[in-house]
Amino acid sequence: MRRLATPIGILAAVAGAFAYVGSVDPNDPGHYPVCPLLKLTGVLCPGCGGLRSAHAFIHGDLGAALEANAIATVGYFLFAAVWGLWLVRAWRGQPLRIGLAPVWWWGVGTVLLIFTVVRNLPFGSALAP
């Protein structure tokens, strides 16, 4: 049971954060800070709309979650998959080792950069929150 403590603790922390975002609507002003990059430059960062996406996701509105921030919504599913793998491996007493080659990290960075640039251009306004 001890080996399950860390993945269950991480899930509890994430569930608590999602519960808070689900109960306090980010669309109502004054509850959350404004993105500093957006406030200072007017440029949407890759995380802009993430809280609104999480709020919609928790309430079962996958379409609104994708509209608010598609990358974050994909991240929720990716987190669930990795967490599930982690839990199964911990149950079996095996360590979780995900070895990603540098090309994967460069690929993730490239996707985030392209997402950020496109959502700030007029033709990519569908990706803006």
Side-chain angles (χ1 to χ4, degrees):
M1 192 62 175
R2 236 179 113 154
R3 58 185 178 228
L4 298 178
T6 303
I8 290 173
I10 295 294
L11 180 64
V14 170
F18 266 75
Y20 180 78
V21 172
S23 63
V24 180
D25 191 354
N27 295 304
D28 296 336
H31 295 291
Y32 299 99
V34 177
C35 173
L37 183 66
L38 180 62
K39 186 175 184 176
L40 294 174
T41 65
V43 174
L44 296 167
C45 76
C48 282
L51 289 173
R52 288 179 291 242
S53 173
H55 182 78
F57 188 81
I58 290 167
H59 290 277
D61 192 352
L62 189 57
L66 285 166
E67 285 178 17
N69 190 319
I71 292 287
T73 306
V74 169
Y76 308 147
F77 289 108
L78 183 61
F79 171 80
V82 171
W83 183 85
L85 176 65
W86 186 15
L87 186 66
V88 167
R89 292 187 65 83
W91 179 264
R92 293 178 180 168
Q94 301 168 336
L96 177 66
R97 289 197 180 103
I98 301 175
L100 294 178
V103 70
W104 284 98
W105 292 112
W106 281 102
V108 168
T110 302
V111 167
L112 288 173
L113 179 63
I114 291 170
F115 176 73
T116 302
V117 169
V118 169
R119 76 189 313 210
N120 284 288
L121 294 174
F123 67 86
S125 62
L127 295 175

